[in-house]
Amino acid sequence: MKVRKAVIPAAGLGTRFLPATKAMPKEMLPIVDKPTIQFIVEEAKKSGIEDILIVTGKNKRSIEDHFDANPELEQDLEKTGKKELLKLTESITNLGVNLYFTRQPHPAGLGDAILRARSFVGDEPFAVMLGDDLMTDKVPLTKQLINRYDKTHASTIAVMPVPHEEVSKYGVIEPADEIEPGLINVKSFVEKPAVDKAPSDYAIIGRYLLTPEIFEILAHQKPGRGGEIQLTDAIDTMNKTQRVFAHVFKGERHDVGNKEGYLETSIEYGLTHPETKDELRNYIIKLGRELEKNSKQN
Ligand code: UTP
């Protein structure tokens, strides 16, 4: 069956960005001038996804508004002859994918957020895309997972090697064997293991291709780490009755879910943005020289 649907969970509290996220969704934090969630929706579109469900919560109205028309703004841009900005604004409403929204009443965990998508997904394979991870590669990562699914008809989770001391921040796989380059048979999936107990350094990154059987498992899933319904635990259970593979991502991953990663990503994107790249580059070179001089003096 063709993969047509994606779920973007966006109901988390975003505590790592407080106070910015007290009244504003972290998914709307911009990388220079584009909210992070727009990058995710664009990746879905480029991957051939037709229908997207965004799972939101309290204080998340602006996500819906961002993808809706803004007639007052558009009229004003038209009147003042700002044609490029008008085109840009309108293009967000005409992305060429269908967006649907539902709410997760309590942030009870990623697994619980995905369970909210059950009737939207029905009996089809679907993608899960987390807003914390922005990926760049020639073929979008979601499309890479779809290509794997088209051959295996099995759930496939994107992974990447991370520094060993960081494994406790991630879901981690216990690999069995590599059945073809970049495709791993998995023995088990563990959510945020202790560094000395981690079965490998392959971390689950924010893209999943799942078969619909995950929903029945999620419906009975007991809270796991942090008292939350963990998607990783449900995937581990599913792996006992049907094959679940890990796909090794070789492109670039930007973790925008923490402050440092967010700043680095903003700088890198700013260095490619036509309006900022030259001045930003000059500024960074000047700043680098000053920092070097200061570190030599200390
Ligand atoms: P995170 O734990 O990274 O996001 O969840 P968070 O909770 O928003 O952020 P911090 O850790 O407090 O700073 C991963 C993804 O799962 C979603 C989040 O929105 C994020 O995209 N999520 C998490 C939900 O939709 N519902 C939840 O109950 C938990």
Side-chain angles (χ1 to χ4, degrees):
M1 193 182 267
K2 189 170 176 268
V3 181
R4 303 183 303 120
K5 294 180 179 174
V7 179
I8 304 178
L13 297 177
T15 52
R16 281 171 288 175
F17 281 96
L18 280 170
T21 47
K22 188 164 171 250
M24 174 195 164
K26 80 167 172 188
E27 294 76 12
M28 288 302 293
L29 289 172
I31 304 297
V32 184
D33 52 9
K34 193 190 282 192
T36 54
I37 195 154
Q38 193 181 324
F39 286 91
I40 306 293
V41 170
E42 287 173 358
E43 180 188 325
K45 161 79 181 149
K46 280 189 216 139
S47 302
I49 296 290
E50 296 162 16
D51 294 334
I52 300 174
L53 178 73
I54 303 183
V55 182
T56 67
K58 278 168 205 68
N59 296 331
K60 303 275 184 173
R61 268 285 302 277
S62 58
I63 298 179
E64 226 166 308
D65 291 342
H66 179 68
F67 292 102
D68 196 1
N70 184 339
E72 209 175 50
L73 171 68
E74 283 153 27
Q75 270 166 26
D76 191 73
L77 293 173
E78 176 108 62
K79 235 192 287 166
T80 49
K82 294 178 179 150
K83 285 205 185 102
E84 282 307 306
L85 286 179
L86 179 63
K87 224 165 88 189
L88 180 72
T89 310
E90 286 177 339
S91 69
I92 301 165
T93 332
N94 304 313
L95 281 173
V97 278
N98 302 312
L99 290 179
Y100 301 86
F101 295 87
T102 192
R103 279 193 177 204
Q104 181 190 23
H106 306 285
L110 176 58
D112 181 69
I114 300 305
L115 186 55
R116 309 281 142 187
R118 190 173 192 168
S119 64
F120 164 80
V121 169
D123 204 19
E124 300 183 26
F126 67 106
V128 171
M129 307 174 74
L130 305 194
D132 282 356
D133 282 327
L134 303 188
M135 315 292 191
T136 30
D137 205 350
K138 272 187 235 116
V139 176
L141 177 52
T142 301
K143 178 65 179 150
Q144 294 178 23
L145 294 178
I146 293 173
N147 291 345
R148 292 290 195 193
Y149 175 84
D150 286 343
K151 288 194 188 136
T152 62
H153 294 117
S155 293
T156 307
I157 316 301
V159 297
M160 218 175 175
V162 294
H164 183 65
E165 61 280 8
E166 287 180 21
V167 285
S168 58
K169 293 188 207 155
Y170 296 91
V172 173
I173 63 160
E174 180 185 358
D177 47 351
E178 193 167 10
I179 56 165
E180 59 178 88
L183 194 66
I184 299 174
N185 229 335
V186 182
K187 256 192 221 153
S188 67
F189 295 83
V190 192
E191 180 63 18
K192 299 196 173 85
V195 172
D196 57 339
K197 300 234 164 65
S200 77
D201 292 345
Y202 278 117
I204 298 175
I205 51 176
R207 303 290 182 275
Y208 308 68
L209 198 298
L210 297 171
T211 52
E213 288 77 26
I214 197 74
F215 291 116
E216 196 49 33
I217 298 168
L218 280 172
H220 298 101
Q221 186 68 50
K222 299 260 176 328
R225 254 200 106 87
E228 294 189 343
I229 308 287
Q230 298 290 354
L231 181 60
T232 309
D233 295 345
I235 291 171
D236 189 53
T237 305
M238 188 157 79
N239 191 35
K240 297 192 168 84
T241 54
Q242 58 173 261
R243 293 174 309 164
V244 181
F245 294 119
H247 165 79
V248 183
F249 180 53
K250 302 250 167 61
E252 244 182 88
R253 166 177 172 258
H254 296 284
D255 180 358
V256 295
N258 69 78
K259 293 186 188 86
E260 216 227 27
Y262 175 77
L263 287 172
E264 284 178 15
T265 309
S266 301
I267 291 170
E268 282 182 34
Y269 188 66
L271 286 169
T272 63
H273 192 294
E275 284 169 44
T276 54
K277 61 179 186 187
D278 296 332
E279 283 187 39
L280 184 63
R281 184 176 169 275
N282 293 342
Y283 170 71
I284 290 171
I285 292 172
K286 188 169 146 261
L287 184 66
R289 285 201 192 112
E290 274 168 30
L291 290 174
E292 204 176 4
K293 204 165 88 193
N294 289 349
S295 71
K296 275 185 193 148
Q297 278 166 1
N298 295 332

PDB file of all heavy atoms in Angstrom, residues 8-17 26-27 55-56 60 104 106-114 129-132 192 228 257, ligand 1:
ATOM      1  N   ILE A   8       2.479  14.530  12.585  1.00  0.00           N
ATOM      2  CA  ILE A   8       3.495  15.377  13.223  1.00  0.00           C
ATOM      3  C   ILE A   8       3.019  15.676  14.650  1.00  0.00           C
ATOM      4  O   ILE A   8       2.075  16.449  14.841  1.00  0.00           O
ATOM      5  CB  ILE A   8       3.703  16.704  12.449  1.00  0.00           C
ATOM      6  CG1 ILE A   8       4.076  16.421  10.985  1.00  0.00           C
ATOM      7  CG2 ILE A   8       4.774  17.555  13.126  1.00  0.00           C
ATOM      8  CD1 ILE A   8       4.247  17.678  10.129  1.00  0.00           C
ATOM      9  N   PRO A   9       3.632  15.023  15.647  1.00  0.00           N
ATOM     10  CA  PRO A   9       3.219  15.334  17.018  1.00  0.00           C
ATOM     11  C   PRO A   9       3.823  16.657  17.438  1.00  0.00           C
ATOM     12  O   PRO A   9       5.023  16.879  17.298  1.00  0.00           O
ATOM     13  CB  PRO A   9       3.802  14.162  17.832  1.00  0.00           C
ATOM     14  CG  PRO A   9       4.934  13.648  17.015  1.00  0.00           C
ATOM     15  CD  PRO A   9       4.697  14.011  15.581  1.00  0.00           C
ATOM     16  N   ALA A  10       2.983  17.550  17.940  1.00  0.00           N
ATOM     17  CA  ALA A  10       3.473  18.889  18.316  1.00  0.00           C
ATOM     18  C   ALA A  10       2.761  19.354  19.578  1.00  0.00           C
ATOM     19  O   ALA A  10       2.440  20.532  19.715  1.00  0.00           O
ATOM     20  CB  ALA A  10       3.231  19.863  17.161  1.00  0.00           C
ATOM     21  N   ALA A  11       2.511  18.412  20.476  1.00  0.00           N
ATOM     22  CA  ALA A  11       1.749  18.761  21.679  1.00  0.00           C
ATOM     23  C   ALA A  11       2.619  18.855  22.922  1.00  0.00           C
ATOM     24  O   ALA A  11       2.118  19.088  24.014  1.00  0.00           O
ATOM     25  CB  ALA A  11       0.639  17.736  21.896  1.00  0.00           C
ATOM     26  N   GLY A  12       3.935  18.664  22.749  1.00  0.00           N
ATOM     27  CA  GLY A  12       4.844  18.699  23.910  1.00  0.00           C
ATOM     28  C   GLY A  12       4.913  20.097  24.497  1.00  0.00           C
ATOM     29  O   GLY A  12       4.515  21.090  23.865  1.00  0.00           O
ATOM     30  N   LEU A  13       5.430  20.193  25.709  1.00  0.00           N
ATOM     31  CA  LEU A  13       5.446  21.477  26.425  1.00  0.00           C
ATOM     32  C   LEU A  13       6.645  22.345  26.066  1.00  0.00           C
ATOM     33  O   LEU A  13       6.673  23.535  26.367  1.00  0.00           O
ATOM     34  CB  LEU A  13       5.418  21.224  27.940  1.00  0.00           C
ATOM     35  CG  LEU A  13       4.161  20.518  28.460  1.00  0.00           C
ATOM     36  CD1 LEU A  13       4.288  20.261  29.956  1.00  0.00           C
ATOM     37  CD2 LEU A  13       2.914  21.337  28.168  1.00  0.00           C
ATOM     38  N   GLY A  14       7.651  21.747  25.446  1.00  0.00           N
ATOM     39  CA  GLY A  14       8.818  22.531  25.031  1.00  0.00           C
ATOM     40  C   GLY A  14       9.547  23.179  26.189  1.00  0.00           C
ATOM     41  O   GLY A  14       9.998  24.326  26.090  1.00  0.00           O
ATOM     42  N   THR A  15       9.702  22.437  27.282  1.00  0.00           N
ATOM     43  CA  THR A  15      10.271  23.047  28.497  1.00  0.00           C
ATOM     44  C   THR A  15      11.721  23.496  28.322  1.00  0.00           C
ATOM     45  O   THR A  15      12.176  24.376  29.044  1.00  0.00           O
ATOM     46  CB  THR A  15      10.196  22.068  29.704  1.00  0.00           C
ATOM     47  OG1 THR A  15      10.784  20.837  29.301  1.00  0.00           O
ATOM     48  CG2 THR A  15       8.773  21.838  30.140  1.00  0.00           C
ATOM     49  N   ARG A  16      12.426  22.896  27.357  1.00  0.00           N
ATOM     50  CA  ARG A  16      13.826  23.296  27.177  1.00  0.00           C
ATOM     51  C   ARG A  16      13.965  24.711  26.616  1.00  0.00           C
ATOM     52  O   ARG A  16      15.049  25.260  26.579  1.00  0.00           O
ATOM     53  CB  ARG A  16      14.547  22.286  26.277  1.00  0.00           C
ATOM     54  CG  ARG A  16      14.944  21.033  27.035  1.00  0.00           C
ATOM     55  CD  ARG A  16      15.459  19.964  26.127  1.00  0.00           C
ATOM     56  NE  ARG A  16      14.398  19.363  25.329  1.00  0.00           N
ATOM     57  CZ  ARG A  16      14.608  18.464  24.380  1.00  0.00           C
ATOM     58  NH1 ARG A  16      15.830  18.087  24.092  1.00  0.00           N
ATOM     59  NH2 ARG A  16      13.584  17.955  23.709  1.00  0.00           N
ATOM     60  N   PHE A  17      12.855  25.271  26.145  1.00  0.00           N
ATOM     61  CA  PHE A  17      12.920  26.633  25.599  1.00  0.00           C
ATOM     62  C   PHE A  17      12.157  27.654  26.442  1.00  0.00           C
ATOM     63  O   PHE A  17      11.834  28.740  25.962  1.00  0.00           O
ATOM     64  CB  PHE A  17      12.413  26.660  24.154  1.00  0.00           C
ATOM     65  CG  PHE A  17      13.433  26.169  23.174  1.00  0.00           C
ATOM     66  CD1 PHE A  17      13.421  24.863  22.749  1.00  0.00           C
ATOM     67  CD2 PHE A  17      14.426  27.015  22.711  1.00  0.00           C
ATOM     68  CE1 PHE A  17      14.380  24.395  21.858  1.00  0.00           C
ATOM     69  CE2 PHE A  17      15.380  26.569  21.826  1.00  0.00           C
ATOM     70  CZ  PHE A  17      15.360  25.254  21.399  1.00  0.00           C
ATOM     71  N   LYS A  26       6.817  25.684  20.651  1.00  0.00           N
ATOM     72  CA  LYS A  26       8.221  25.653  20.232  1.00  0.00           C
ATOM     73  C   LYS A  26       8.325  25.379  18.730  1.00  0.00           C
ATOM     74  O   LYS A  26       9.292  25.767  18.093  1.00  0.00           O
ATOM     75  CB  LYS A  26       9.019  24.629  21.041  1.00  0.00           C
ATOM     76  CG  LYS A  26       8.897  23.196  20.616  1.00  0.00           C
ATOM     77  CD  LYS A  26       9.960  22.332  21.271  1.00  0.00           C
ATOM     78  CE  LYS A  26       9.665  20.865  20.970  1.00  0.00           C
ATOM     79  NZ  LYS A  26      10.488  19.924  21.662  1.00  0.00           N
ATOM     80  N   GLU A  27       7.297  24.742  18.162  1.00  0.00           N
ATOM     81  CA  GLU A  27       7.301  24.434  16.727  1.00  0.00           C
ATOM     82  C   GLU A  27       7.236  25.696  15.865  1.00  0.00           C
ATOM     83  O   GLU A  27       7.477  25.643  14.668  1.00  0.00           O
ATOM     84  CB  GLU A  27       6.111  23.532  16.366  1.00  0.00           C
ATOM     85  CG  GLU A  27       6.149  22.147  16.974  1.00  0.00           C
ATOM     86  CD  GLU A  27       5.774  22.098  18.462  1.00  0.00           C
ATOM     87  OE1 GLU A  27       5.259  23.107  19.005  1.00  0.00           O
ATOM     88  OE2 GLU A  27       6.013  21.049  19.086  1.00  0.00           O
ATOM     89  N   VAL A  55      -0.701  16.907  15.582  1.00  0.00           N
ATOM     90  CA  VAL A  55      -1.300  16.719  16.909  1.00  0.00           C
ATOM     91  C   VAL A  55      -0.834  17.880  17.777  1.00  0.00           C
ATOM     92  O   VAL A  55       0.363  18.021  18.053  1.00  0.00           O
ATOM     93  CB  VAL A  55      -0.867  15.375  17.541  1.00  0.00           C
ATOM     94  CG1 VAL A  55      -1.547  15.183  18.891  1.00  0.00           C
ATOM     95  CG2 VAL A  55      -1.184  14.210  16.605  1.00  0.00           C
ATOM     96  N   THR A  56      -1.778  18.717  18.174  1.00  0.00           N
ATOM     97  CA  THR A  56      -1.413  19.913  18.931  1.00  0.00           C
ATOM     98  C   THR A  56      -1.982  19.843  20.350  1.00  0.00           C
ATOM     99  O   THR A  56      -2.584  18.838  20.726  1.00  0.00           O
ATOM    100  CB  THR A  56      -1.931  21.198  18.244  1.00  0.00           C
ATOM    101  OG1 THR A  56      -3.355  21.197  18.304  1.00  0.00           O
ATOM    102  CG2 THR A  56      -1.478  21.286  16.807  1.00  0.00           C
ATOM    103  N   LYS A  60      -1.314  26.191  21.145  1.00  0.00           N
ATOM    104  CA  LYS A  60      -0.717  25.810  19.863  1.00  0.00           C
ATOM    105  C   LYS A  60      -1.502  26.354  18.664  1.00  0.00           C
ATOM    106  O   LYS A  60      -1.269  25.954  17.541  1.00  0.00           O
ATOM    107  CB  LYS A  60      -0.632  24.280  19.757  1.00  0.00           C
ATOM    108  CG  LYS A  60       0.145  23.605  20.888  1.00  0.00           C
ATOM    109  CD  LYS A  60       1.639  23.579  20.621  1.00  0.00           C
ATOM    110  CE  LYS A  60       2.361  22.801  21.720  1.00  0.00           C
ATOM    111  NZ  LYS A  60       3.767  22.597  21.441  1.00  0.00           N
ATOM    112  N   GLN A 104      -4.124  16.730  21.641  1.00  0.00           N
ATOM    113  CA  GLN A 104      -3.828  15.782  22.713  1.00  0.00           C
ATOM    114  C   GLN A 104      -4.145  16.524  24.015  1.00  0.00           C
ATOM    115  O   GLN A 104      -3.503  17.539  24.314  1.00  0.00           O
ATOM    116  CB  GLN A 104      -2.344  15.389  22.659  1.00  0.00           C
ATOM    117  CG  GLN A 104      -1.938  14.381  23.708  1.00  0.00           C
ATOM    118  CD  GLN A 104      -0.417  14.205  23.782  1.00  0.00           C
ATOM    119  OE1 GLN A 104       0.348  15.092  23.392  1.00  0.00           O
ATOM    120  NE2 GLN A 104       0.029  13.071  24.282  1.00  0.00           N
ATOM    121  N   HIS A 106      -3.687  15.983  27.246  1.00  0.00           N
ATOM    122  CA  HIS A 106      -2.602  16.075  28.241  1.00  0.00           C
ATOM    123  C   HIS A 106      -1.329  15.586  27.572  1.00  0.00           C
ATOM    124  O   HIS A 106      -1.365  14.584  26.852  1.00  0.00           O
ATOM    125  CB  HIS A 106      -2.898  15.198  29.461  1.00  0.00           C
ATOM    126  CG  HIS A 106      -4.220  15.491  30.082  1.00  0.00           C
ATOM    127  ND1 HIS A 106      -4.433  16.604  30.850  1.00  0.00           N
ATOM    128  CD2 HIS A 106      -5.404  14.834  30.008  1.00  0.00           C
ATOM    129  CE1 HIS A 106      -5.697  16.617  31.241  1.00  0.00           C
ATOM    130  NE2 HIS A 106      -6.307  15.557  30.735  1.00  0.00           N
ATOM    131  N   PRO A 107      -0.202  16.249  27.827  1.00  0.00           N
ATOM    132  CA  PRO A 107       1.045  15.763  27.213  1.00  0.00           C
ATOM    133  C   PRO A 107       1.525  14.485  27.909  1.00  0.00           C
ATOM    134  O   PRO A 107       2.469  14.489  28.682  1.00  0.00           O
ATOM    135  CB  PRO A 107       2.015  16.937  27.416  1.00  0.00           C
ATOM    136  CG  PRO A 107       1.456  17.714  28.561  1.00  0.00           C
ATOM    137  CD  PRO A 107      -0.004  17.446  28.647  1.00  0.00           C
ATOM    138  N   ALA A 108       0.850  13.378  27.593  1.00  0.00           N
ATOM    139  CA  ALA A 108       1.102  12.112  28.299  1.00  0.00           C
ATOM    140  C   ALA A 108       2.191  11.281  27.631  1.00  0.00           C
ATOM    141  O   ALA A 108       2.382  10.120  27.971  1.00  0.00           O
ATOM    142  CB  ALA A 108      -0.196  11.320  28.396  1.00  0.00           C
ATOM    143  N   GLY A 109       2.869  11.856  26.652  1.00  0.00           N
ATOM    144  CA  GLY A 109       3.970  11.151  26.004  1.00  0.00           C
ATOM    145  C   GLY A 109       3.785  11.051  24.498  1.00  0.00           C
ATOM    146  O   GLY A 109       2.672  11.183  23.982  1.00  0.00           O
ATOM    147  N   LEU A 110       4.906  10.814  23.818  1.00  0.00           N
ATOM    148  CA  LEU A 110       4.884  10.728  22.347  1.00  0.00           C
ATOM    149  C   LEU A 110       3.956   9.600  21.876  1.00  0.00           C
ATOM    150  O   LEU A 110       3.204   9.771  20.913  1.00  0.00           O
ATOM    151  CB  LEU A 110       6.326  10.511  21.842  1.00  0.00           C
ATOM    152  CG  LEU A 110       6.517  10.294  20.353  1.00  0.00           C
ATOM    153  CD1 LEU A 110       5.973  11.458  19.537  1.00  0.00           C
ATOM    154  CD2 LEU A 110       8.016  10.093  20.043  1.00  0.00           C
ATOM    155  N   GLY A 111       3.990   8.468  22.577  1.00  0.00           N
ATOM    156  CA  GLY A 111       3.133   7.333  22.189  1.00  0.00           C
ATOM    157  C   GLY A 111       1.667   7.726  22.271  1.00  0.00           C
ATOM    158  O   GLY A 111       0.867   7.412  21.379  1.00  0.00           O
ATOM    159  N   ASP A 112       1.298   8.438  23.320  1.00  0.00           N
ATOM    160  CA  ASP A 112      -0.087   8.878  23.496  1.00  0.00           C
ATOM    161  C   ASP A 112      -0.477   9.865  22.385  1.00  0.00           C
ATOM    162  O   ASP A 112      -1.602   9.823  21.873  1.00  0.00           O
ATOM    163  CB  ASP A 112      -0.244   9.523  24.878  1.00  0.00           C
ATOM    164  CG  ASP A 112      -1.657   9.974  25.142  1.00  0.00           C
ATOM    165  OD1 ASP A 112      -2.535   9.106  25.290  1.00  0.00           O
ATOM    166  OD2 ASP A 112      -1.895  11.205  25.179  1.00  0.00           O
ATOM    167  N   ALA A 113       0.466  10.738  22.008  1.00  0.00           N
ATOM    168  CA  ALA A 113       0.179  11.699  20.922  1.00  0.00           C
ATOM    169  C   ALA A 113      -0.088  10.943  19.609  1.00  0.00           C
ATOM    170  O   ALA A 113      -1.020  11.280  18.867  1.00  0.00           O
ATOM    171  CB  ALA A 113       1.354  12.661  20.749  1.00  0.00           C
ATOM    172  N   ILE A 114       0.706   9.914  19.347  1.00  0.00           N
ATOM    173  CA  ILE A 114       0.527   9.154  18.097  1.00  0.00           C
ATOM    174  C   ILE A 114      -0.803   8.397  18.104  1.00  0.00           C
ATOM    175  O   ILE A 114      -1.477   8.285  17.083  1.00  0.00           O
ATOM    176  CB  ILE A 114       1.717   8.178  17.871  1.00  0.00           C
ATOM    177  CG1 ILE A 114       3.039   8.954  17.781  1.00  0.00           C
ATOM    178  CG2 ILE A 114       1.516   7.329  16.610  1.00  0.00           C
ATOM    179  CD1 ILE A 114       3.087  10.057  16.749  1.00  0.00           C
ATOM    180  N   MET A 129       6.792  12.218  12.001  1.00  0.00           N
ATOM    181  CA  MET A 129       7.873  13.188  11.805  1.00  0.00           C
ATOM    182  C   MET A 129       7.929  14.125  13.015  1.00  0.00           C
ATOM    183  O   MET A 129       6.965  14.840  13.282  1.00  0.00           O
ATOM    184  CB  MET A 129       7.617  13.996  10.530  1.00  0.00           C
ATOM    185  CG  MET A 129       7.370  13.117   9.305  1.00  0.00           C
ATOM    186  SD  MET A 129       6.901  14.090   7.858  1.00  0.00           S
ATOM    187  CE  MET A 129       8.460  14.825   7.415  1.00  0.00           C
ATOM    188  N   LEU A 130       9.036  14.124  13.714  1.00  0.00           N
ATOM    189  CA  LEU A 130       9.169  14.995  14.883  1.00  0.00           C
ATOM    190  C   LEU A 130       9.810  16.327  14.493  1.00  0.00           C
ATOM    191  O   LEU A 130      10.790  16.348  13.737  1.00  0.00           O
ATOM    192  CB  LEU A 130      10.028  14.343  15.973  1.00  0.00           C
ATOM    193  CG  LEU A 130       9.621  12.966  16.487  1.00  0.00           C
ATOM    194  CD1 LEU A 130      10.376  12.648  17.772  1.00  0.00           C
ATOM    195  CD2 LEU A 130       8.135  12.852  16.728  1.00  0.00           C
ATOM    196  N   GLY A 131       9.255  17.387  15.053  1.00  0.00           N
ATOM    197  CA  GLY A 131       9.720  18.728  14.705  1.00  0.00           C
ATOM    198  C   GLY A 131      11.089  19.097  15.254  1.00  0.00           C
ATOM    199  O   GLY A 131      11.686  20.080  14.830  1.00  0.00           O
ATOM    200  N   ASP A 132      11.595  18.302  16.205  1.00  0.00           N
ATOM    201  CA  ASP A 132      12.889  18.634  16.812  1.00  0.00           C
ATOM    202  C   ASP A 132      14.060  18.388  15.885  1.00  0.00           C
ATOM    203  O   ASP A 132      15.151  18.903  16.114  1.00  0.00           O
ATOM    204  CB  ASP A 132      13.114  17.780  18.069  1.00  0.00           C
ATOM    205  CG  ASP A 132      12.340  18.311  19.249  1.00  0.00           C
ATOM    206  OD1 ASP A 132      11.712  19.365  19.103  1.00  0.00           O
ATOM    207  OD2 ASP A 132      12.380  17.664  20.304  1.00  0.00           O
ATOM    208  N   LYS A 192      15.846   5.842  26.129  1.00  0.00           N
ATOM    209  CA  LYS A 192      16.800   6.551  27.005  1.00  0.00           C
ATOM    210  C   LYS A 192      17.545   5.627  27.989  1.00  0.00           C
ATOM    211  O   LYS A 192      17.380   5.726  29.213  1.00  0.00           O
ATOM    212  CB  LYS A 192      16.076   7.670  27.756  1.00  0.00           C
ATOM    213  CG  LYS A 192      15.472   8.716  26.821  1.00  0.00           C
ATOM    214  CD  LYS A 192      15.104   9.995  27.560  1.00  0.00           C
ATOM    215  CE  LYS A 192      14.661  11.088  26.629  1.00  0.00           C
ATOM    216  NZ  LYS A 192      13.292  11.113  26.225  1.00  0.00           N
ATOM    217  N   GLU A 228       5.626   8.482  31.023  1.00  0.00           N
ATOM    218  CA  GLU A 228       4.936   8.804  29.765  1.00  0.00           C
ATOM    219  C   GLU A 228       4.719   7.556  28.915  1.00  0.00           C
ATOM    220  O   GLU A 228       5.477   6.585  29.031  1.00  0.00           O
ATOM    221  CB  GLU A 228       5.788   9.806  28.957  1.00  0.00           C
ATOM    222  CG  GLU A 228       5.922  11.158  29.634  1.00  0.00           C
ATOM    223  CD  GLU A 228       6.584  12.197  28.727  1.00  0.00           C
ATOM    224  OE1 GLU A 228       7.215  11.824  27.724  1.00  0.00           O
ATOM    225  OE2 GLU A 228       6.451  13.387  29.048  1.00  0.00           O
ATOM    226  N   GLY A 257      15.732  20.945  18.950  1.00  0.00           N
ATOM    227  CA  GLY A 257      14.934  20.798  20.177  1.00  0.00           C
ATOM    228  C   GLY A 257      15.680  21.228  21.428  1.00  0.00           C
ATOM    229  O   GLY A 257      15.134  21.188  22.516  1.00  0.00           O
TER     230      GLY A 257
HETATM  231  P1  UTP B   1      10.116  16.153  23.316  1.00  0.00           P
HETATM  232  O1  UTP B   1      10.189  15.631  24.699  1.00  0.00           O
HETATM  233  O2  UTP B   1      11.373  16.326  22.568  1.00  0.00           O
HETATM  234  O3  UTP B   1       9.379  17.547  23.248  1.00  0.00           O
HETATM  235  O4  UTP B   1       9.098  15.263  22.488  1.00  0.00           O
HETATM  236  P2  UTP B   1       8.798  18.475  24.354  1.00  0.00           P
HETATM  237  O5  UTP B   1       8.206  17.695  25.463  1.00  0.00           O
HETATM  238  O6  UTP B   1       7.908  19.444  23.651  1.00  0.00           O
HETATM  239  O7  UTP B   1      10.104  19.309  24.760  1.00  0.00           O
HETATM  240  P3  UTP B   1      10.908  19.460  26.110  1.00  0.00           P
HETATM  241  O8  UTP B   1      11.695  18.188  26.255  1.00  0.00           O
HETATM  242  O9  UTP B   1       9.917  19.690  27.218  1.00  0.00           O
HETATM  243  O10 UTP B   1      11.749  20.660  25.834  1.00  0.00           O
HETATM  244  C1  UTP B   1       9.311  14.875  21.132  1.00  0.00           C
HETATM  245  C2  UTP B   1       8.133  15.254  20.264  1.00  0.00           C
HETATM  246  O11 UTP B   1       6.940  14.664  20.723  1.00  0.00           O
HETATM  247  C3  UTP B   1       5.932  15.628  20.929  1.00  0.00           C
HETATM  248  C4  UTP B   1       6.658  16.948  21.101  1.00  0.00           C
HETATM  249  O12 UTP B   1       5.837  18.023  20.676  1.00  0.00           O
HETATM  250  C5  UTP B   1       7.884  16.755  20.218  1.00  0.00           C
HETATM  251  O13 UTP B   1       7.601  17.078  18.874  1.00  0.00           O
HETATM  252  N1  UTP B   1       5.152  15.244  22.118  1.00  0.00           N
HETATM  253  C6  UTP B   1       5.782  14.873  23.265  1.00  0.00           C
HETATM  254  C7  UTP B   1       3.780  15.281  22.054  1.00  0.00           C
HETATM  255  O14 UTP B   1       3.180  15.623  21.013  1.00  0.00           O
HETATM  256  N2  UTP B   1       3.057  14.918  23.152  1.00  0.00           N
HETATM  257  C8  UTP B   1       3.658  14.550  24.315  1.00  0.00           C
HETATM  258  O15 UTP B   1       2.941  14.227  25.282  1.00  0.00           O
HETATM  259  C9  UTP B   1       5.056  14.530  24.357  1.00  0.00           C
END
